């Protein structure tokens, strides 16, 4: 028997599963990308949509009110890495990139893609100079990776010999750089992200709720940036709406478990949970 890689942890999770099986067309399903629909990898460009999740999303797309990916990544990166344009049957999918600043609708092909602010371009140049100075001073920065996210920059230390130590070393100067350019700082799993917009995933989720008007909502995420969206669901739960916070768990980020109505063992668990949703529909 296949090991079950997900479990409900609250009554909210149980209520959502029961209601979804009966009324999937009333449901909005929202997902983070990296660490949730795609495994975390050393090089962000090697990220790929979990094929099990891809199959279930394709099966669920015509059966639900809306599918959405809400991510700190740019829309174009998610479309490319997830091969979304090549996958048929995802007409109900919307991708909100850069925490909702960018948007792509699979059905219409409509794209919202604001220009890159000068502050981000200047910050990129300063980060490159900062890394060069650290290297010249003898600091081991091998494996440090700067990710160009258009309106944001990811400073990744996962590939370094001491990822946590290098992350701690960089936190203060990167924070100061972000403040100097009036940019937002978003910490994550061995990454510091600085971005132009103050919009968060809670704002992006509210946009989807206003458009879709669902009676059932689930949001799946794995990192600190997903907490604002989970807090929106907590508000809705307090008002009586059937919602589930789905956590893609990892040993790197355990704080989210306190928010979980449904707990999954990483992207494999999320894929298995999605398969269960598909099979549960009456």
């Amino acid at each position: 028997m296949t090991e079950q890689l997900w479990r409900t942890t609250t009554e909210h999770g149980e209520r959502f599963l029961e209601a979804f099986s009966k009324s999937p067309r009333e449901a909005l399903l929202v997902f983070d990308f990296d660490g949730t629909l795609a495994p975390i990898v050393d090089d962000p460009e090697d990220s790929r949509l979990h094929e099990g999740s891809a199959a279930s999303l394709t099966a669920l797309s015509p059966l639900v009110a809306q599918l959405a990916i809400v991510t700190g990544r740019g829309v174009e990166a998610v479309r490319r890495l997830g091969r979304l344009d090549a996958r048929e049957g995802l007409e109900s999918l919307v991708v909100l990139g850069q925490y909702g600043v960018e948007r792509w609708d699979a059905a219409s092909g409509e794209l919202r893609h604001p220009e890159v602010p000068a502050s981000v371009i200047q910050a990129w140049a300063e980060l490159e100079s900062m890394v060069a100075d650290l290297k010249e001073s003898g600091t081991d920065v091998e494996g440090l990776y700067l990710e160009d996210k258009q309106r944001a920059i990811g400073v990744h230390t996962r590939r370094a010999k001491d990822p946590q130590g290098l992350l701690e070393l960089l936190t203060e100067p990167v924070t100061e750089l972000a403040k100097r350019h009036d940019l937002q700082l978003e910490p994550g799993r061995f990454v510091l992200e600085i971005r132009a917009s103050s919009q968060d995933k809670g704002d992006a989720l509210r946009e989807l709720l206003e458009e879709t008007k669902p009676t059932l909502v689930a949001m799946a995420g794995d990192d600190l940036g997903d907490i604002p969206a989970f807090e929106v669901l907590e508000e809705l739960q307090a008002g009586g709406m059937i919602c589930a916070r789905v956590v893609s768990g990892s040993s790197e980020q355990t704080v989210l478990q306190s928010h979980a109505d449904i707990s999954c063992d990483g992207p494999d668990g999320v894929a298995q949970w999605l398969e269960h949703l598909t099979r549960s529909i009456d």
Side-chain angles (χ1 to χ4, degrees):
M1 179 180 292
T2 302
E3 179 186 3
Q4 183 162 316
L5 301 178
W6 65 274
R7 63 211 66 85
T8 55
T9 56
T10 69
E11 291 184 3
H12 292 297
E14 296 283 358
R15 289 180 65 206
F16 176 83
L17 293 179
E18 181 180 357
F20 182 86
S21 68
K22 295 179 173 61
S23 304
R25 293 193 183 279
E26 299 295 320
L28 167 65
L29 302 180
V30 186
F31 306 88
D32 174 43
F33 188 72
D34 295 290
T36 303
L37 290 180
I40 293 289
V41 291
D42 289 343
D43 187 340
E45 282 301 307
D46 290 335
S47 181
R48 296 292 183 271
L49 178 61
H50 192 296
E51 287 302 322
S53 289
S56 292
L57 291 176
T58 301
L60 288 168
S61 180
L63 305 176
V64 300
Q66 184 83 73
L67 295 175
I69 296 174
V70 178
T71 173
R73 292 254 202 177
V75 160
E76 295 298 341
V78 173
R79 289 173 66 183
R80 182 181 72 256
L81 299 174
R83 296 193 302 111
L84 299 182
D85 295 67
R87 300 182 190 274
E88 296 182 0
L90 288 177
E91 285 76 14
S92 71
L93 177 67
V94 170
V95 179
L96 295 181
Q98 294 291 302
Y99 302 87
V101 174
E102 300 177 2
R103 175 175 175 138
W104 174 69
D105 290 85
S108 65
E110 184 179 351
L111 178 65
R112 181 174 73 206
H113 192 275
E115 290 185 5
V116 179
S119 57
V120 175
I121 297 172
Q122 293 165 3
W124 177 273
E126 289 188 28
L127 281 169
E128 288 186 317
S129 178
M130 181 190 301
V131 172
D133 290 343
L134 286 171
K135 187 174 183 179
E136 186 175 342
S137 70
T139 302
D140 187 356
V141 293
E142 183 178 354
L144 178 62
Y145 174 70
L146 299 182
E147 181 186 6
D148 182 0
K149 302 174 113 178
Q150 298 298 306
R151 293 176 56 85
I153 305 166
V155 183
H156 297 265
T157 66
R158 178 176 296 278
R159 293 186 290 184
K161 292 179 182 177
D162 180 11
Q164 184 60 37
L166 186 56
L167 186 72
E168 292 173 358
L169 176 68
L170 290 167
T171 296
E172 183 175 347
V174 172
T175 300
E176 292 176 354
L177 184 150
K179 289 180 179 178
R180 191 162 61 251
H181 291 284
D182 197 24
L183 299 170
Q184 304 297 311
L185 178 69
E186 188 78 48
R189 294 163 63 177
F190 296 122
V191 61
L192 297 168
E193 181 177 293
I194 55 177
R195 53 191 174 91
S197 172
S198 61
Q199 180 159 320
D200 59 32
K201 290 188 180 183
D203 298 319
L205 178 56
R206 290 185 192 279
E207 176 183 328
L208 292 168
L209 289 166
E210 180 63 27
E211 290 178 5
T212 310
K213 303 272 193 301
T215 60
L216 305 172
V217 187
M219 163 73 190
D222 76 304
D223 211 344
L224 299 176
D226 299 303
I227 290 179
F230 286 164
E231 290 174 343
V232 170
L233 294 191
E234 289 168 12
E235 294 174 12
L236 296 176
Q237 288 172 342
M241 191 170 180
I242 300 176
C243 304
R245 300 160 298 171
V246 183
V247 171
S248 176
S250 75
S251 58
E252 294 176 358
Q253 188 60 272
T254 59
V255 68
L256 264 70
Q257 288 301 329
S258 63
H259 293 268
D261 298 307
I262 297 172
S263 179
C264 302
D265 295 344
D268 287 339
V270 172
Q272 196 182 84
W273 173 68
L274 281 170
E275 182 180 5
H276 172 81
L277 286 188
T278 306
R279 293 177 182 272
S280 74
I281 295 172
D282 289 345

